[in-house]
Amino acid sequence: MEYRAMHLIVLVIVFTAKLSYSAKILGIFHMPSYSHFVLGETLFKELAKRGHQVTVISSFPQKEPMGNYIDIPLKILPGILEERVKERNHFDIVNVPVYLVPFLLVQAGLNFTESVFQEPEVQSLLKSDAKFDMVITEQFLNDAHKGFANHFNASSVILSTIGSSIWTNHLVGNPQPFAYCPGIFLNYPPHMTFLQRVKNTLMLTLENLYFHLYFFKKQDEILHKYIPNAANLDEIMYNTSLILFNSHVSSNTPLPRVPSMVDVGGLHIKEVGRLPSDLQEFLDNSKNGAIYFALGSNVKSTDMGKVKIEQILAAISRLEVNVLWKFEDDSWPNLPKNLKIAKWFPQQSILAHSNVKLFITHGGLLSTMEAIYFSVPQ
Ligand SMILES: *[C@@H]1O[C@H](CO)[C@@H](O)[C@H](O)[C@H]1NC(C)=O
């Protein structure tokens, strides 16, 4: 009898010990753009598959319910953005002076940040007695969201949808010498000329001042409006445990890194599935090779304007190779025979096809990594 009781106790201990390997994780991905969420989604699903319990605040609830994965869907932000995106032509962005971009983004960031706190479901989560071991937050001008980690007394992990930058370096005390660390908006090479170094220094100094004298104060106000007893934002920000970066040595500039900064670039690249049969046939039959042309999930090719589109179509019609073009208007007249258009393509599976010889891309980070991974010239 006593032996049986012992046996039972040992079993109970073994099982609880096993269970305690899994963590309760809160994910916050506030950006309503799928090109951001695809990274979070890959990470959160994998964590859920490995037995962790994840709760995800995002604009992209899972279509099929998944074990260990709870969605808190955002509704306010996608609503605001849908209106704006409808009117916006991404090709006009080139006309915005580059030194204004970070400051314009900051204003949008403040609105995005607050809208998450305004969601009724997020407010009830904050009022509930939910417990989390870790909060994983996307980094995109939303520093007040790090307050969730403080509120739940959890470790704070950041997932940055870009490489290391002025947005993240200070969180973990990483150096960013202006002489050889170009800012993300200037598009300078690591070996800058003297003039470029001067401009880089000016720009990053301005950004730093703007962040520390204005932006973080505003973020702190938002945080305390919705979580009144949170610690100071400064204390919370500089308590970041780990930052995961969407970058990789094979595709990014070499930059200084403290050990709590970890590259996970390529994380979103999946085992490719079979293509839908029409695409499979189209590419299999592309004996002279095929070009894949896509400008990412946000930019619409149709926004290029009729003149440019007709010029591109004329050029395509003279090619001996086949072309796939992510093009949003399926009623466009007189398309060349060697062209196939669609509003959406399974990009990774296409890049993996051996007949695809060239990728014409907008140069987005995720597309660039996929092209490198599948060895397709861009
Ligand atoms: C700092 O992080 C630890 C967990 O890593 C947490 O327990 C602590 O409450 C955090 N402090 C602040 C001020 O957020």
Side-chain angles (χ1 to χ4, degrees):
M1 195 59 201
E2 211 172 306
Y3 173 77
R4 279 217 184 144
M6 273 290 284
H7 206 109
L8 200 67
I9 290 168
V10 168
L11 267 182
V12 166
I13 291 172
V14 166
F15 276 113
T16 31
K18 182 92 178 112
L19 280 176
S20 69
Y21 284 147
S22 75
K24 290 195 162 180
I25 300 170
L26 174 65
I28 306 170
F29 256 67
H30 68 302
M31 288 297 283
S33 159
Y34 190 67
S35 67
H36 287 242
F37 186 64
V38 65
L39 288 160
E41 182 177 43
T42 313
L43 179 65
F44 298 135
K45 277 180 152 176
E46 188 60 35
L47 288 168
K49 251 188 236 158
R50 295 187 188 192
H52 302 289
Q53 290 181 37
V54 297
T55 302
V56 181
I57 301 177
S58 83
S59 309
F60 302 92
Q62 291 303 306
K63 292 189 185 94
E64 313 257 313
M66 177 179 180
N68 291 341
Y69 190 114
I70 299 168
D71 271 309
I72 299 187
L74 295 174
K75 304 201 172 96
I76 301 173
L77 196 49
I80 303 173
L81 232 78
E82 208 180 322
E83 283 306 304
R84 279 201 217 151
V85 165
K86 255 188 241 153
E87 291 149 26
R88 186 170 56 195
N89 181 334
H90 280 82
F91 289 93
D92 293 339
I93 294 178
V94 277
N95 301 325
V96 181
V98 70
Y99 54 85
L100 281 184
V101 174
F103 307 104
L104 294 174
L105 275 178
V106 157
Q107 285 310 320
L110 291 172
N111 297 337
F112 289 3
T113 306
E114 179 152 14
S115 73
V116 170
F117 285 110
Q118 287 166 338
E119 298 275 353
E121 276 198 64
V122 171
Q123 292 187 354
S124 33
L125 179 75
L126 284 168
K127 288 199 199 95
S128 73
D129 54 3
K131 292 199 168 39
F132 295 102
D133 303 301
M134 182 189 282
V135 176
I136 304 178
T137 322
E138 175 188 9
Q139 177 78 33
F140 207 90
L141 300 164
N142 59 326
D143 294 85
H145 294 163
K146 298 181 179 65
F148 283 88
N150 178 252
H151 176 80
F152 291 112
N153 198 12
S155 348
S156 174
V157 173
I158 308 294
L159 177 51
S160 167
T161 43
I162 55 173
S164 75
S165 73
I166 198 167
W167 293 351
T168 39
N169 282 326
H170 68 116
L171 299 174
V172 286
N174 191 55
Q176 177 163 4
F178 297 157
Y180 62 93
C181 295
I184 41 175
F185 295 104
L186 289 175
N187 213 7
Y188 289 159
H191 292 282
M192 290 178 272
T193 63
F194 178 70
L195 193 63
Q196 286 175 333
R197 275 181 277 156
V198 171
K199 284 191 192 162
N200 190 48
T201 304
L202 278 176
M203 177 94 172
L204 289 175
T205 305
L206 267 180
E207 277 184 66
N208 259 331
L209 285 172
Y210 195 60
F211 275 121
H212 290 275
L213 299 178
Y214 172 74
F215 181 68
F216 294 140
K217 290 204 165 53
K218 287 281 170 203
Q219 289 282 336
D220 195 57
E221 277 169 27
I222 295 173
L223 171 60
H224 286 94
K225 183 168 163 194
Y226 295 94
I227 312 183
N229 52 358
N232 283 336
L233 185 59
D234 261 1
E235 266 178 75
I236 296 172
M237 282 199 301
Y238 300 125
N239 195 30
T240 301
S241 300
L242 172 72
I243 310 184
L244 305 174
F245 287 99
N246 180 30
S247 60
H248 192 260
V249 281
S250 61
S251 62
N252 289 71
T253 303
L255 292 171
R257 282 296 165 85
V258 295
S260 52
M261 305 169 100
V262 176
D263 270 335
V264 296
L267 171 91
H268 74 289
I269 296 175
K270 303 190 174 67
E271 198 116 328
V272 293
R274 242 190 101 73
L275 284 162
S277 53
D278 59 327
L279 285 175
Q280 185 73 41
E281 217 169 281
F282 184 82
L283 288 177
D284 286 348
N285 293 337
S286 300
K287 298 293 176 223
N288 296 327
I291 295 174
Y292 173 57
F293 182 8
L295 301 177
S297 54
N298 290 313
V299 181
K300 290 198 189 77
S301 291
T302 40
D303 281 347
M304 252 188 267
K306 194 167 185 316
V307 176
K308 281 202 193 92
I309 291 172
E310 287 299 343
Q311 286 168 339
I312 292 172
L313 288 175
I316 289 175
S317 69
R318 289 200 297 272
L319 296 174
E320 283 175 8
V321 300
N322 284 338
V323 178
L324 291 171
W325 187 3
K326 181 185 156 283
F327 190 82
E328 296 76 15
D329 182 356
D330 50 18
S331 62
W332 201 277
N334 304 326
L335 295 177
K337 281 193 193 62
N338 59 338
L339 171 67
K340 191 174 178 63
I341 60 165
K343 292 196 175 81
W344 180 87
F345 281 115
Q347 178 157 306
Q348 295 186 21
S349 307
I350 288 175
L351 293 174
H353 195 287
S354 59
N355 283 348
V356 174
K357 303 296 182 207
L358 183 72
F359 178 19
I360 305 180
T361 165
H362 67 311
L365 267 180
L366 301 179
S367 290
T368 304
M369 285 173 186
E370 290 167 22
I372 293 172
Y373 184 82
F374 293 108
S375 314
V376 180
Q378 302 167 70

